[in-house]
Amino acid sequence: MSETEAVRSEEQPLLAVIGAGGLCGRYLLKGARRSPFRVRAVVHGPAGRARVAALGADEIVEADLAEPDSVRRAVKDADCVFMIPPAFHPEEDVFAIRALEAAEDARRFVYLSVLHPHTPGLRHHLRKANAEAAVRGSDLEWTILQPSMFAQIVLSTWGRAPAGQVDVPFDVSHRFSFIDLRELAEVGVKVLSEQGHASATYELAGPTTTPAEALRIAGRARGVQLEARTVDWAKAPLPPGVADDPSRGSDMRAMWQDYDRHGLHGNSNVLRMLLGREPASFAEAAAAFDVP
């Protein structure tokens, strides 16, 4: 542990991060190294445990979000809970509400939602909106974070493609707001460790650009030329894991269809306020891209 990282003790509050093994969870764990918390990484199984093993968590526990007793054990004695629901899972709202109920003895609860959760065409967004309603009805001290698209998702999904044309299943000329996951993690730690964020819903939209420009930037960061090309969302191949699940596949295609019509963009003022500086550009995220 470096000199700048926190030296933790049993007297420090315990933070349980549910969904710690995913992309966002791993960035949060990395950001929490300098936080005032002892950190318990809650993962789904051995693969998640392996992914977070080197990220500095004080504890790693496995939990099945479909089993209430398993979730209760995972958050037992936690002072704070940060809930990251599994992406595109048909029961992600049920899982979030289950975590909320299991955290009844916690002091704070932070729920990671999504930008524009009430968008009718985005079924996985609507599930997050349903979970948000339960969070707002809770007696816990809660905060809801609504991030825009993760820059690192674009960088890992399309930005690693071979040089040349890159097929994207929605209109690459539409505007999207991209948030750097390093800054989302910074905000997550901030709202957990500071007073004044109770009952707050924060829209966290990073700077806006188009997927076409984002992929050109991603290519330059690698020293190659990438050129985004729009392909039919209804025919584009689904990623591994999603393709084997009809429900997730249908939700992803609905997302692509909505993106093809509207893009997904928001305002950066709230993110700027919370960071106390200008949010990172897509180029800055690309230059520093490294998955924990």
Side-chain angles (χ1 to χ4, degrees), residues 92 117 119-128 246-255:
E92 62 182 293
T119 304
L122 300 175
R123 294 191 289 267
H124 65 301
H125 282 218
L126 292 175
R127 289 193 291 270
K128 290 181 171 66
S247 176
R248 293 189 186 193
S250 176
D251 284 356
M252 182 166 282
R253 290 201 187 279
M255 179 185 73

Side-chain angles (χ1 to χ4, degrees), residues 11-212:
E11 296 179 357
Q12 290 178 283
L14 176 62
L15 166 63
V17 179
I18 299 176
L23 182 63
C24 182
R26 301 199 301 277
Y27 273 91
L28 184 65
L29 290 183
K30 190 173 181 180
R33 287 176 178 173
R34 296 172 176 83
S35 78
F37 300 103
R38 290 180 293 121
V39 180
R40 177 185 295 161
V42 181
V43 300
H44 181 67
R49 180 183 288 273
R51 284 194 295 270
V52 306
L55 294 178
D58 300 279
E59 304 175 39
I60 304 174
V61 301
E62 297 179 21
D64 184 346
L65 297 181
E67 297 292 338
D69 287 343
S70 178
V71 180
R72 279 193 289 270
R73 288 192 296 270
V75 301
K76 181 178 174 58
D77 300 323
D79 299 281
C80 304
V81 175
F82 194 104
M83 172 62 187
I84 306 171
F88 291 101
H89 196 287
E91 292 190 296
E92 62 182 293
D93 52 344
V94 175
F95 292 165
I97 293 168
R98 184 166 292 145
L100 180 71
E101 293 170 345
E104 60 181 357
D105 294 327
R107 185 166 47 84
R108 293 191 180 187
F109 187 91
V110 175
Y111 175 59
L112 189 71
S113 184
V114 70
L115 186 69
H116 305 163
H118 296 94
T119 304
L122 300 175
R123 294 191 289 267
H124 65 301
H125 282 218
L126 292 175
R127 289 193 291 270
K128 290 181 171 66
N130 186 43
E132 283 192 15
V135 172
R136 292 191 182 97
S138 168
D139 292 331
L140 294 175
E141 187 177 289
W142 56 264
T143 307
I144 295 170
L145 304 181
Q146 297 177 333
S148 57
M149 186 182 289
F150 304 158
Q152 284 78 6
I153 287 289
V154 177
L155 292 165
S156 60
T157 303
W158 295 293
R160 290 176 169 173
Q165 286 190 331
V166 182
D167 292 344
V168 178
F170 43 84
D171 191 333
V172 299
S173 68
H174 280 322
R175 292 188 298 149
F176 286 77
S177 297
F178 299 107
I179 186 170
D180 188 328
L181 277 174
R182 297 173 300 168
E183 294 189 338
L184 178 56
E186 182 179 339
V187 169
V189 172
K190 182 183 183 73
V191 301
L192 283 163
S193 57
E194 291 183 352
Q195 296 298 317
H197 301 289
S199 305
T201 300
Y202 290 137
E203 183 177 284
L204 304 177
T208 300
T209 187
T210 66

Side-chain angles (χ1 to χ4, degrees), residues 3-19:
E3 293 180 1
T4 58
E5 291 176 346
V7 177
R8 302 186 179 108
S9 72
E10 291 297 323
E11 296 179 357
Q12 290 178 283
L14 176 62
L15 166 63
V17 179
I18 299 176

